[in-house]
Amino acid sequence: MKRTFLITSCLLSGAVILSISSMLNGCKSTTTPGYTLTGDTLADGKALVQQHCTKCHALVPVNALTKDVWTVHSLPSMAQYFAIKTYGVGYYKEDNDTSGMSLQNWQAIVSYYRKLAPDTLAAAKAPTPLLNDWAGFSLKKATRSTDICFTTLVAANAGNGKIYTGDLVSNNLTQWDSQLKSTSAVKLPSAAVSLNFLPDSAGIQQAIVSCIGRLDPVDFPNGKVLKVNLAGNPQLNTVQSELPRPVQTLSADFDKDGQNEIVVCAQGNLQGGVYKLKLDAAKKVYKQTPITNRPGAVQAITGDFNNDGWADIMVLYGVGDEGLAMYLNNKKGGFEARGLLKFPAVNGSSSFQLADIDHDGDLDLIYTCGYNFRDSRILKPYHGLYIYKNTGNFNFKQEWFYPINGCSKAIAADFDGDGDLDIATIAFFADMKNNPAEEFIYFEQDKAMQFKPHGIPVSQYGRWMSMDVSDINHDGKPDILLANYASGFLFQPNFTPNWDEHTPFIVLENHTKK
């Protein structure tokens, strides 16, 4: 009962913040140039939206949300950024308030959305229906817990053969053996959401762990990055504290001094950024410098993207100004930003991976979108799994799409050993009421850029917030780990979950044959 109450309280507090910050978290309430209304609802609305609603993010098509969502949720949330006050679903300004947008212009925008937005969103038609089978995988379950599981992380460490999980309520980082039995646990300051395994100079297994602080998106910087010694009983050392919701850490030697620096994706809310942490000369304190102060980062990867011998960074942003950006190492301790893609602010961008899907020597983009717990909590036909072809120099062109409601992560690997890449996906905000099979899908690539989707029947065993891929049983084939966040974040009316709430994670053991 206590665990359920805690998470419910967290979600309720988050819902208030989410309702006022989701779409225009970079906008400022300043006076804007006037526009002379013509009386034509469509012409006025289109002009005003183009003028005001593209300053902070990509334009959101009017048909991306329903009429009810626009008028009851999204537009009232957006109004504050233009110095418009709300009363229920009505709007007003003080008589002497000349800041932001005029009330007449704002009402023209509202009328535009009321006139053009659809009553419902048509569901996307999948190019290939799901196959309901195990596709060569078998199920293994971790030891059951007496408590409801709020597993925020599952990660396998190939270095020591152990599995690690994080939990929102207990705040434990738990270690599991190859038989999926817990062997030890260490208390963290908040839930672990990312682990970056790296042995030290003596070969001792260590990890950098991101403790998010508050799971709900608020500007309260109580997240921490810790270094964990994984040899024997885990030991903790603080790397950096007072971070705005760090969701991922990774490391690379950006200045070629022989020592790795740490990169932190501090997603934050209205404030956040991507930061570089570097040890001082005494190797005791990490100095934090911003790579960018842009909030909303959900994932980053490192690599030498321009082939100059220096490590660069690529970052996906999933809140507000959604998009993919590259930060090229300037060889002077800093980075130069290059925007690669922009996405509408309702996409809920959630993960990406670079992989050469078409075997042409260029890294293509595997991208998912589907976060769906802000102020537009409806099923969206544009959520799902995308593949963008790299046409050269990281110029991306959409090549393939498979609709998956609430898709939250994809991992590509050659699961069946046939020489091409397959893809595993999870969907935390799937259509659990009508299509629970889409919560986990295995896309088997049987021909070039043609995928056979398998809806592996695991929805009864949990709700998957985190996923990892690793060869757990050492048979040379990548297995799949799924973390069960069993309660909360429900967004569909009249739906009662019926999945297992007490299994922290499962493993899909790979027995595929070609």
Side-chain angles (χ1 to χ4, degrees), residues 68-362:
D68 284 346
V69 170
W70 276 118
T71 56
V72 178
H73 298 286
S74 296
L75 289 172
S77 295
M78 294 161 61
Q80 62 164 332
Y81 297 103
F82 299 103
I84 303 292
K85 297 182 178 180
T86 60
Y87 184 79
V89 292
Y91 303 96
Y92 70 97
K93 286 178 75 82
E94 302 293 346
D95 291 339
N96 59 350
D97 184 0
T98 59
S99 64
M101 187 186 299
S102 72
L103 184 60
Q104 292 77 15
N105 283 5
W106 177 254
Q107 293 287 13
I109 289 177
V110 174
S111 297
Y112 172 74
Y113 282 102
R114 282 178 176 161
K115 189 174 184 66
L116 285 188
D119 293 326
T120 60
L121 299 185
K125 182 175 176 57
T128 307
L130 285 179
L131 299 171
N132 185 17
D133 61 15
W134 286 90
F137 290 88
S138 64
L139 175 69
K140 292 184 68 175
K141 297 191 289 184
T143 304
R144 284 175 61 84
S145 170
T146 56
D147 293 319
I148 294 175
C149 298
F150 295 95
T151 313
T152 53
L153 165 75
V154 63
N157 183 5
N160 63 5
K162 305 295 184 182
I163 298 169
Y164 297 86
T165 59
D167 184 275
L168 178 71
V169 176
S170 71
N171 290 339
N172 282 341
L173 179 67
T174 303
Q175 178 178 277
W176 306 76
D177 62 20
S178 59
Q179 301 304 310
L180 310 190
K181 296 181 179 180
S182 61
T183 57
S184 64
V186 60
K187 180 76 72 173
L188 301 175
S190 62
V193 293
S194 168
L195 274 180
N196 181 22
F197 298 108
L198 65 166
D200 67 8
S201 57
I204 297 175
Q205 289 295 319
Q206 294 184 328
I208 303 295
V209 56
S210 302
C211 298
I212 193 168
R214 292 282 293 271
L215 191 65
D216 48 320
V218 296
D219 287 316
F220 187 71
N222 67 333
K224 292 186 177 182
V225 171
L226 307 174
K227 184 173 287 188
V228 186
N229 186 335
L230 301 177
N233 292 324
Q235 299 176 356
L236 303 177
N237 293 289
T238 299
V239 172
Q240 196 75 328
S241 58
E242 298 182 0
L243 290 165
R245 302 181 64 245
V247 296
Q248 185 196 14
T249 49
L250 58 163
S251 61
D253 184 3
F254 293 103
D255 55 10
K256 292 192 173 185
D257 67 349
Q259 301 291 327
N260 278 3
E261 290 79 50
I262 296 172
V263 172
V264 181
C265 289
Q267 186 178 119
N269 181 37
L270 300 182
Q271 300 174 4
V274 180
Y275 308 130
K276 183 178 71 172
L277 308 179
K278 182 175 177 60
L279 270 175
D280 63 9
K283 296 185 178 181
K284 292 183 178 180
V285 178
Y286 282 88
K287 178 184 178 182
Q288 176 177 312
T289 56
I291 295 170
T292 173
N293 287 315
R294 177 179 174 181
V298 296
Q299 185 190 346
I301 61 174
T302 62
D304 182 9
F305 300 128
N306 57 356
N307 298 313
D308 65 351
W310 293 73
D312 310 304
I313 307 169
M314 196 176 293
V315 182
L316 178 66
Y317 295 89
V319 182
D321 186 15
E322 296 193 32
L324 185 68
M326 179 188 294
Y327 297 89
L328 296 175
N329 196 325
N330 66 7
K331 309 173 189 177
K332 301 176 183 178
F335 296 85
E336 297 176 358
R338 173 190 164 192
L340 300 177
L341 289 170
K342 291 182 73 69
F343 303 114
V346 291
N347 266 30
S349 300
S350 50
S351 79
F352 79 107
Q353 182 178 344
L354 296 179
D356 186 6
I357 291 285
D358 55 8
H359 301 285
D360 67 351
D362 290 320

Side-chain angles (χ1 to χ4, degrees), residues 390-402:
N390 182 352
T391 60
N393 194 28
F394 293 98
N395 293 301
F396 293 115
K397 178 182 178 182
Q398 183 180 323
E399 189 82 3
W400 186 84
F401 169 65
Y402 194 95

Side-chain angles (χ1 to χ4, degrees), residues 373-492:
F373 208 71
R374 299 191 181 98
D375 54 11
S376 57
R377 301 174 191 177
I378 57 174
L379 298 176
K380 301 179 174 74
Y382 41 86
H383 279 175
L385 171 65
Y386 292 77
I387 296 176
Y388 287 79
K389 178 179 174 59
N390 182 352
T391 60
N393 194 28
F394 293 98
N395 293 301
F396 293 115
K397 178 182 178 182
Q398 183 180 323
E399 189 82 3
W400 186 84
F401 169 65
Y402 194 95
I404 306 171
N405 291 296
C407 192
S408 45
K409 189 170 184 178
I411 298 179
D414 185 6
F415 289 102
D416 56 11
D418 65 351
D420 56 25
L421 290 175
D422 314 295
I423 304 173
T425 63
I426 54 173
F428 190 68
F429 294 101
D431 183 0
M432 296 171 284
K433 187 175 180 180
N434 303 299
N435 189 22
E438 68 180 355
E439 291 179 36
F440 175 80
I441 302 176
Y442 164 58
F443 290 90
E444 175 192 0
Q445 186 173 190
D446 54 359
K447 296 180 182 178
M449 291 300 293
Q450 294 186 24
F451 296 87
K452 186 184 298 181
H454 301 267
I456 296 180
V458 293
S459 61
Q460 63 184 301
Y461 301 109
R463 186 182 181 193
W464 317 121
M465 176 174 275
S466 175
M467 173 172 60
D468 197 14
V469 168
S470 183
D471 182 9
I472 300 299
N473 58 358
H474 307 291
D475 66 351
K477 297 179 180 180
D479 307 303
I480 301 170
L481 300 87
L482 303 177
N484 182 14
Y485 191 100
S487 183
F489 288 103
L490 297 179
F491 70 106
Q492 291 180 284

